[in-house]
Amino acid sequence: MAFRLASNRLLRIAVPTTRFASDKAAPWRLGRLNHVAVAVPDLQKATAFYRDVLGANVSDAVPLPEHGVTTVFVELDNTKIELLYPLGEKSPIAGFLKNKPDGGMHHICMEVDDIQAAVESVRAANVRTLGAEPKIGAHGKPVMFLHPKDCDGVLVELEQA
C-alpha cells in the first residue's frame, strides 16, 4: 500500500508487489546496486579527487582492452563508483566524452543472482540488450547491458552476483 495526500486527505493506493507480469515465482532476483559508472576525461585527476579530497580508497587503474576502457574503482561502504576512461579511439567512452566533454554518469550496475534467467526475462519484457550473450565484465563476472531507451534513459548493467 502507498499513501498520497490529495486535497488534505490521505488516500490509500494499491501498489503492485510483484515485479513480474505473471504470478509464477521469479526465476531470478535483483540484488544490490554494485556500482555507478562515471566517464571521466582525466582519469588521474578524477582518481586524485576521490582519493585525496574525499579520502576514499581507490583501486589501481586497470586497462580492459576487450571493453575499450581503463577502470578505477572507488570503494564506498555500501557500493562502488567506477571511473571509466577511454582506451583507444574506438572506445564507447571516447564517443560518450565527445558528447559530454566534461564527463558524467555513464551507467548503473545492479547484481542479479542468475544472469541467464535475468537476460531471458528482460528480453521477454521487450527490453533490448546490448549484445547477444553476457560477456565478462570488469569484476570477472558475466554482465549484460540493457538499452537505455528501454530503461528510462539509463544505461543499465546487470552483473552476476
Side-chain angles (χ1 to χ4, degrees):
M1 250 337 125
F3 298 92
R4 183 171 56 186
L5 192 59
S7 302
N8 293 328
R9 291 184 328 161
L10 195 57
L11 300 176
R12 221 176 209 192
I13 302 167
V15 177
T17 57
T18 59
R19 296 179 310 191
F20 299 94
S22 71
D23 289 332
K24 296 178 185 177
W28 61 280
R29 189 181 71 74
L30 185 64
R32 71 181 187 95
L33 175 67
N34 184 283
H35 65 268
V36 174
V38 178
V40 298
D42 184 332
L43 188 60
Q44 289 74 29
K45 180 181 173 187
T47 301
F49 170 74
Y50 285 97
R51 183 190 57 231
D52 303 338
V53 176
L54 297 182
N57 289 324
V58 299
S59 72
D60 290 332
V62 176
L64 300 171
E66 63 278 9
H67 296 281
V69 298
T70 298
T71 64
V72 168
F73 280 95
V74 179
E75 298 290 331
L76 304 173
D77 285 344
N78 57 350
T79 192
K80 296 179 276 301
I81 298 170
E82 179 184 31
L83 305 178
L84 298 170
Y85 183 76
L87 185 60
E89 291 181 19
K90 294 183 180 179
S91 166
I93 301 305
F96 182 93
L97 290 171
K98 282 182 185 173
N99 293 326
K100 295 185 176 188
D102 293 332
M105 191 186 92
H106 184 261
H107 69 268
I108 62 170
C109 176
M110 295 177 285
E111 295 177 357
V112 295
D113 64 352
D114 184 335
I115 189 75
Q116 286 302 129
V119 168
E120 290 171 16
S121 179
V122 298
R123 285 181 179 156
N126 295 317
V127 174
R128 291 171 283 176
T129 58
L130 302 182
E133 294 294 325
K135 59 183 180 179
I136 301 302
H139 296 115
K141 298 177 179 182
V143 300
M144 177 61 78
F145 284 89
L146 309 182
H147 201 293
K149 288 186 178 179
D150 298 336
C151 302
D152 300 307
V154 177
L155 179 60
V156 173
E157 179 183 18
L158 300 179
E159 178 180 279
Q160 177 71 46

